[in-house]
Amino acid sequence: MTARRTSRARRRRQAGYTLIEVMMALGVLTAGSVGIMAMMQASTRGNMEAREMATATMITQRWVERLRRDATNWTASSRTINPVLLSRTTYLSTVPNPGTAARWVVPVPPAASTERSSFDFYGRDTAVPAEMYFCSNIRLEWLYVGRSMRADVRTWWLRRQGGSANDASRTALGQCAPGLDPNTLTGDWRVRMIYASTVVRWTPT
């Protein structure tokens, strides 16, 4: 009797898994695979956003340095507004008069310059609308008239995920939106911005 029970138990063990066990295993495997794929997608999206922010930060810092370099051509000071003081500068000469509200503007480099206010996905200056991915604006304001001013730089872009390449916001970005404040793009969750501020002053010679 004992030998018969042992033989029966051995045959049961050799029969393999039941259908329910197989289905449960497949369910666990599927759930795990979906979780891994979702985690990979979130990681990729996070890496893309981090890359965009790093590139925008680099571009913003580049424009801060351009404004500081421009200040080296501001070689005299005055206690009053004197247009001659900034006549040799490229970007600082656009500062509004005291009492005038400072506003964001698209910096206009000299015609012979390779500098641009628009950049491609890799952070390179570009004038080709189809390549534009980041745009930079500047805002200048007098701190001490004729002697120093505050300079703000803003770089903005649209997130790569979501949206058509032909919608209004993307079209505006493709033209680097001259005169457009991205804050007016209400309801567009894809707009991202990086800000930086510095103080520039005249350079004694």
Side-chain angles (χ1 to χ4, degrees):
M1 182 66 69
T2 302
R4 192 176 302 127
R5 287 202 192 97
T6 303
S7 177
R8 219 176 2 245
R10 187 181 298 114
R11 286 198 300 272
R12 191 179 299 115
R13 286 196 300 270
Q14 293 176 349
Y17 298 103
T18 64
L19 180 59
I20 294 178
E21 291 173 330
V22 172
M23 292 179 64
M24 291 179 62
L26 288 175
V28 172
L29 180 61
T30 301
S33 300
V34 170
I36 292 175
M37 292 177 64
M39 183 177 63
M40 291 179 62
Q41 184 178 11
S43 176
T44 301
R45 184 167 55 250
N47 289 338
M48 177 65 71
E49 293 182 2
R51 186 194 186 287
E52 290 173 340
M53 291 189 65
T55 303
T57 301
M58 176 192 69
I59 292 170
T60 303
Q61 183 60 37
R62 187 183 307 171
W63 264 106
V64 168
E65 295 303 325
R66 287 174 179 177
L67 294 176
R68 289 174 178 169
R69 180 203 62 203
D70 199 34
T72 60
N73 292 320
W74 179 13
T75 56
S77 68
S78 171
R79 292 182 180 275
T80 59
I81 294 297
N82 185 348
V84 176
L85 299 180
L86 300 174
S87 60
R88 296 174 55 193
T89 64
T90 300
Y91 307 113
L92 301 184
S93 59
T94 62
V95 61
N97 293 329
T100 303
R103 61 188 182 88
W104 291 104
V105 298
V106 177
V108 182
S113 174
T114 58
E115 296 178 353
R116 295 290 182 270
S117 61
S118 51
F119 303 82
D120 64 12
F121 179 73
Y122 302 100
R124 299 173 298 197
D125 295 70
T126 182
V128 181
E131 296 178 353
M132 294 178 183
Y133 197 85
F134 299 93
C135 289
S136 292
N137 307 137
I138 63 174
R139 183 173 61 184
L140 304 173
E141 183 178 12
W142 285 110
L143 289 178
Y144 295 98
V145 177
R147 289 183 287 180
S148 66
M149 65 180 74
R150 170 178 171 168
D152 300 321
V153 179
R154 173 182 66 188
T155 299
W156 65 281
W157 73 100
L158 297 179
R159 289 180 58 185
R160 198 174 185 86
Q161 291 83 10
S164 166
N166 298 317
D167 63 14
S169 299
R170 182 66 68 181
T171 300
L173 179 64
Q175 300 168 352
C176 216
L180 174 67
D181 186 340
N183 291 319
T184 63
L185 300 178
T186 56
D188 196 330
W189 58 270
R190 293 170 300 155
V191 177
R192 295 290 185 268
M193 288 175 269
I194 294 290
Y195 291 85
S197 297
T198 187
V199 174
V200 294
R201 62 184 299 272
W202 70 284
T203 305
T205 57

